[in-house]
Amino acid sequence: MSAALPPERLARLAKLLARCDSAADGEALAAVRAARSFLAQDGLSLADLARAWPAARHGVDDYAGLVARLDQLAARVAELKSDLAAERAGRETLFAAAVAELLAQERALITLEQRLRHADAADTPGSDPGSDPTDDQPRLPLDGLEDGPCQPVLFDGDDPLV
């Protein structure tokens, strides 16, 4: 739009449109009609003025192309958010499966340790299963873990494991 009208004609159009803000209805209506007639001399309409306004305001020549590109970008952002949510859900599922596998392995190790201890006690004649010093070692309480969600304990690399 700004390329279609020279600066002096744009200044005249601006003065006409400023009169549209008049409190007197007759003057405002006359200003709109004058602006419409003024634009018609250059083959333009008020609709052309309305379409050109956002582009001129933002310094963009192809405002409709910019809007279309922004719509494409918004659709791409929504697609990427959906992909990210699916990826996150997949990783959480894999993490939960890994935690369940580790807990099952730990239970199996504890069961094997108990069997080994009982087998050693049964093989040694006269030995008392309660006299084994390893029986006094603390055990991880695994009872009731199936009832609630499990969150593994993660250790920092700088923390010594004691």
Side-chain angles (χ1 to χ4, degrees), residues 4-98:
L5 292 176
E8 61 275 357
R9 290 192 52 82
L10 279 176
R12 174 76 178 126
L13 179 62
K15 287 180 185 178
L16 284 173
L17 292 175
R19 287 181 33 214
C20 292
D21 198 25
S22 173
D25 291 340
E27 183 181 356
L29 182 59
V32 170
R33 286 182 176 157
R36 188 176 63 194
S37 172
F38 185 80
L39 288 169
Q41 293 172 6
D42 292 314
L44 299 171
S45 68
L46 289 174
D48 295 328
L49 180 66
R51 279 191 296 272
W53 177 76
R57 180 175 180 208
H58 299 292
V60 177
D61 291 332
D62 183 20
Y63 190 75
L66 178 65
V67 169
R69 180 68 178 137
L70 287 174
D71 288 342
Q72 289 173 351
L73 290 174
R76 181 69 177 142
V77 165
E79 180 184 329
L80 289 173
K81 281 183 180 180
S82 174
D83 291 348
L84 179 63
E87 179 72 23
R88 186 173 287 147
R91 287 180 185 221
E92 287 175 0
T93 301
L94 289 174
F95 183 72

